[in-house]
Amino acid sequence: MKNLIFDQEKLEEFRKKNKLQPFRIKQIYQEIFKNSNIDFGNCTSLSKELRESLDKNFEILSIKIKEIIEGYESTKFLFETKNSKTFESVLMYHWHTKNNGDKKINRITLCVSSQVGCAVACIFCVTGKLGFLANLLWEEIIGQLLFANNYIKNKFGKKDDGTYHKVRNIVFMGMGEPLLNYNNVKKSIEIMLGQGYGFSLSKRHITISTSGIIPGIQKMIDDNIESMLAISLHAPNQELREKLVPIGKKYKLNELIYILDNYYKKTKNRIFYEYIMIKDMNDLSKNAIELSKLLKHQNCHINLIPYNENPAMPNLQETETSSIYKFKEILENNGLTVTVRTNMGREEKSACGQLGWENIAKG
Ligand code: SF4
């Protein structure tokens, strides 16, 4: 069986056995993290002999790609783990329009999965309908980023400064509840942030999105996890939250707000709230007033997300655009900062709450 190239001890053993200079290790990781290679055969700064020997002994990716669904706004990847569990991640493209009207890729975000399926069972989410199937290992989480960077390199090539286009932002908003797979998520973030042995991403560009797992948020505070935090709130009071996000029964809204206040005191990181807009359910003016009261003491930012169609919940409907903007206005009049999220990736069924669509649609 091949070792993972990220097993630094095994790579060091290999280096000594093959009488390689220590700088070769740095070169190998540079080929992977900086040059976005996922195949030793393409690591051309290494000798042919070394490439072949690495290929015999090590693997870069521990996941397999099964399907790629390409779109203009996003690309969805369907991966498979070694024990045949499938999961998805999504690349989202932010385009810039030049003066002559041409479009140029500006920045790229990867929405990664941390689990296969999810136990939290939010009513508006396809993944939740699958139930919990497995935790992804840290190497399966960073495998998504390795594959995505290689895909981007082939699709977009180099930037004006001669470096390759890459993922700039990571959001843990794919399948699963990241704080219920804490250790693997933590280790994957260390590698995302790492220089040399890592992707050199900025901590401002990595966001953990949680449905409000209080012990996990406490661990983030204790371990000083260097990433941003987004809360899938979706309701301004306990009763409604329990309906939309059933784990809210266990982790009460007042306790959640209390720990988030502590999180802010410790980290000084602004907190992001996700609020999905579902017609006649949580999108009324009185909900906006209540939400304002709940959050106006915090340094936070609220993202309003139009509900995306979901085959498992045919009765839920998207809020009309005019009502979303009315809701936004109420929040803003109460001093909150708010963005209405554009719905990227609906056609590819890769928008918020839609991951796992094919599994559900198949029945
Ligand atoms: S929204 Fe997130 S936490 Fe809720 S069921 Fe879906 S994947 Fe799980």
Side-chain angles (χ1 to χ4, degrees), residues 115 117-129 173-178 209-211 232 234 244-245 353:
Q115 297 182 314
C118 183
V120 175
C122 302
I123 65 156
F124 48 82
C125 174
V126 179
T127 310
K129 294 284 161 209
M173 293 183 187
M175 288 179 152
E177 164 51 66
S209 173
T210 176
S211 55
S232 294
H234 310 308
L244 298 175
V245 185

Side-chain angles (χ1 to χ4, degrees), residues 119-123 177 210-214 231-235 237-256:
V120 175
C122 302
I123 65 156
E177 164 51 66
T210 176
S211 55
I213 309 295
I214 292 176
I231 306 296
S232 294
L233 190 68
H234 310 308
N237 61 56
Q238 180 62 29
E239 194 189 343
L240 189 51
R241 190 164 144 81
E242 285 185 14
K243 275 191 203 147
L244 298 175
V245 185
I247 205 148
K249 288 183 196 137
K250 186 168 179 188
Y251 301 117
K252 303 274 188 260
L253 186 57
N254 58 344
E255 291 164 18
L256 178 62

Side-chain angles (χ1 to χ4, degrees), residues 34-49:
K34 194 161 169 235
N35 299 342
S36 306
N37 284 316
I38 52 173
D39 185 338
F40 290 115
N42 294 329
C43 299
T44 48
S45 70
L46 311 174
S47 69
K48 190 163 180 281
E49 193 191 358

Side-chain angles (χ1 to χ4, degrees), residues 233-238 240 253 275 282 286-288 290-291 294:
L233 190 68
H234 310 308
N237 61 56
Q238 180 62 29
L240 189 51
L253 186 57
Y275 194 101
N282 63 351
K286 66 173 187 184
N287 301 134
E290 213 174 350
L291 187 61
L294 185 72

